[in-house]
Amino acid sequence: MKLYTDADVDSTCLDGKRIAVLGYGSQGRAHALNLRDSGFDVVVGLRSSGKSFAKAEAAGLNVMEPNEAVKGATIVAFLTPDMVQKTLYESILDDIDEGATLLFAHGFAVHFKQISARADLNVVLIAPKGPGGLVRRQYEEGHGVPCLVAVERDETGDALTLALAYAAGIGGARAGVIETTFAEETETDLFGEQAVLCGGATELIVAGFETLVEAGYQPEVAYYEVMHELKLIVDLLHEGGLRKMHEFISDTAAWGDMVSGPRVVDEASREAMQSVLKDIQDGTFARNWIAENEQGMPEFRRRMQADLDHPIETVGKELRSRMDWLTE
Ligand code: NAD
Ligand code: MG
């Protein structure tokens, strides 16, 4: 594994240079503010018709239309939703300086060939391993969220130096920047969110809730058990891995974990994980997701609504309203 830290960074490569941040959502806001506070010349590129425009201006940033923002920029960071990056790239292409560096926070558009960058451009990845809110908060507190770095194309000879300077500017080099490839970052990121983090965890929670409720237990008790308490366990895992969790849970819980966990996540689940991974690797997932977007996302909305209409949401909303410390 190759790991870069602040000691490996030469930020002088960005002296007198400009960074254009396209998008001001979760990542865009954090990157723009951190880079500015690190002393870099930052412009934010947004549609003047969009909601983020006024927000970015209110934060004291220099905001303009994307095609204006990229003029004269050494680094152009694509921090809009993955599915709009292709159209956005095509609309600003003629305004991007020769020899500029296109930077992505996730490899989807490049790896699945939605964007084939002009021959003179560098293509790099700085992917923070955390949501934008955390990237900003950690930076403000003097820390940083670890990042991945990849160089897909180096036309100018300093693509990695520029990428690392950007990573340092958002605070990532304080925590360490691990070298990867666009393929590895894209495929592992999609697999993680589908099989384990978002998809796997929520299906596990809902299936556990339904099992208890169908067996006649009160939905409120089921909610506390399978949704609310998950955070306590995740925090222990996050801070200290399996060892810390085992130090804090009872012997009864640990024994139950070890004998029953593998009955729930069994060989069939592992085979399903392999099949999910294969769909990501061979482009099936990407093709379907791009097609879904082109059709106006009807299936996306239908499935989202089904999630929001689930009884665990009604019970959860009511119970959470009695725990006002949750929103502090
Ligand atoms: P987001 O949905 O939070 O933000 C979208 C921003 O893009 C908004 O400011 C919106 O106004 C702007 N936008 C939308 N369409 C636009 C257009 N056509 N032209 C200009 N601006 C436009 O996005 P996000 O979640 O921050 O994701 C940005 C990138 O970061 C993606 O590549 C994503 O995969 C990656 N990423 C996200 C996270 C995360 O925690 N959200 C983590 C790591 C990587
Ligand atoms: Mg789900």
Side-chain angles (χ1 to χ4, degrees), residues 22-28 45-47 50-52 66 78-82 84-85 88 105-106 127-128 130-132 185 189:
L22 306 179
Y24 196 70
S26 174
Q27 292 295 330
L46 290 170
R47 296 160 299 176
K51 276 184 297 207
S52 314
F78 283 79
L79 301 177
T80 67
D82 297 301
V84 310
Q85 290 177 4
L88 177 63
H106 175 44
E185 186 278 335
D189 191 75

Side-chain angles (χ1 to χ4, degrees), residues 4-84:
Y4 300 98
T5 62
D6 275 324
D8 304 301
V9 176
D10 173 16
S11 295
T12 59
C13 64
L14 281 170
D15 280 353
K17 305 284 171 63
R18 173 166 274 201
I19 303 171
V21 171
L22 306 179
Y24 196 70
S26 174
Q27 292 295 330
R29 175 178 173 278
H31 293 211
L33 295 174
N34 291 3
L35 289 164
R36 180 196 65 189
D37 294 349
S38 293
F40 294 116
D41 175 17
V42 177
V43 286
V44 179
L46 290 170
R47 296 160 299 176
S48 49
S49 56
K51 276 184 297 207
S52 314
F53 199 97
K55 267 190 225 157
E57 275 193 325
L61 290 157
N62 189 5
V63 195
M64 46 191 102
E65 286 282 345
N67 63 307
E68 288 300 322
V70 302
K71 281 178 190 159
T74 297
I75 295 180
V76 177
F78 283 79
L79 301 177
T80 67
D82 297 301
M83 289 298 127
V84 310

Side-chain angles (χ1 to χ4, degrees), residues 87-314:
T87 322
L88 177 63
Y89 170 72
E90 287 162 359
S91 74
I92 58 173
L93 179 56
D94 293 342
D95 299 301
I96 299 177
D97 271 23
E98 185 164 351
T101 296
L102 307 186
L103 183 145
F104 296 83
H106 175 44
F108 192 101
V110 170
H111 179 60
F112 292 115
K113 306 207 168 5
Q114 293 245 284
I115 293 180
S116 305
R118 211 173 60 200
D120 58 291
L121 302 172
N122 294 332
V123 180
V124 304
L125 173 92
I126 291 295
K129 290 285 101 184
L134 195 65
V135 172
R136 179 61 180 157
R137 196 162 71 245
Q138 289 297 323
Y139 178 89
E140 287 179 307
E141 290 172 4
H143 310 294
V145 168
C147 293
L148 300 182
V149 62
V151 176
E152 175 83 359
R153 202 200 291 152
D154 184 5
E155 291 298 324
T156 60
D158 62 351
L160 179 64
T161 309
L162 287 166
L164 290 176
Y166 183 101
I170 63 172
R174 293 169 177 165
V177 184
I178 293 178
E179 196 163 76
T180 185
T181 60
F182 271 67
E184 184 178 67
E185 186 278 335
T186 307
E187 291 169 7
T188 55
D189 191 75
L190 292 172
F191 177 80
E193 66 200 19
Q194 292 176 28
V196 181
L197 306 176
C198 312
T202 59
E203 284 306 314
L204 196 63
I205 291 167
V206 168
F209 178 82
E210 287 175 358
T211 302
L212 288 174
V213 173
E214 279 162 24
Y217 299 102
Q218 297 179 73
E220 290 79 8
V221 174
Y223 173 87
Y224 279 132
E225 201 50 54
V226 303
M227 178 90 97
H228 178 79
E229 285 201 48
L230 186 64
K231 176 169 165 44
L232 311 171
I233 299 304
V234 169
D235 282 351
L236 293 170
L237 293 170
H238 184 78
E239 289 159 17
L242 300 178
R243 176 178 298 279
K244 182 155 186 185
M245 183 197 76
H246 279 307
E247 274 167 21
F248 280 80
I249 65 178
S250 69
D251 283 351
T252 308
W255 174 244
D257 156 339
M258 295 181 287
V259 298
S260 302
R263 292 172 65 193
V264 176
V265 180
D266 60 3
E267 207 40 53
S269 308
R270 285 167 194 270
E271 279 167 22
M273 282 189 178
Q274 281 161 10
S275 141
V276 165
L277 182 57
K278 188 184 139 296
D279 280 0
I280 291 167
Q281 289 169 331
D282 70 15
T284 303
F285 171 79
R287 250 192 326 281
N288 290 342
W289 175 219
I290 292 163
E292 173 67 11
N293 273 270
E294 283 166 354
Q295 285 151 28
M297 307 217 282
E299 188 64 13
F300 180 94
R301 273 195 294 274
R302 192 185 66 71
R303 287 177 186 250
M304 179 78 76
Q305 198 55 52
D307 262 9
L308 303 182
D309 290 342
H310 193 280
I312 198 170
E313 284 293 282
T314 321

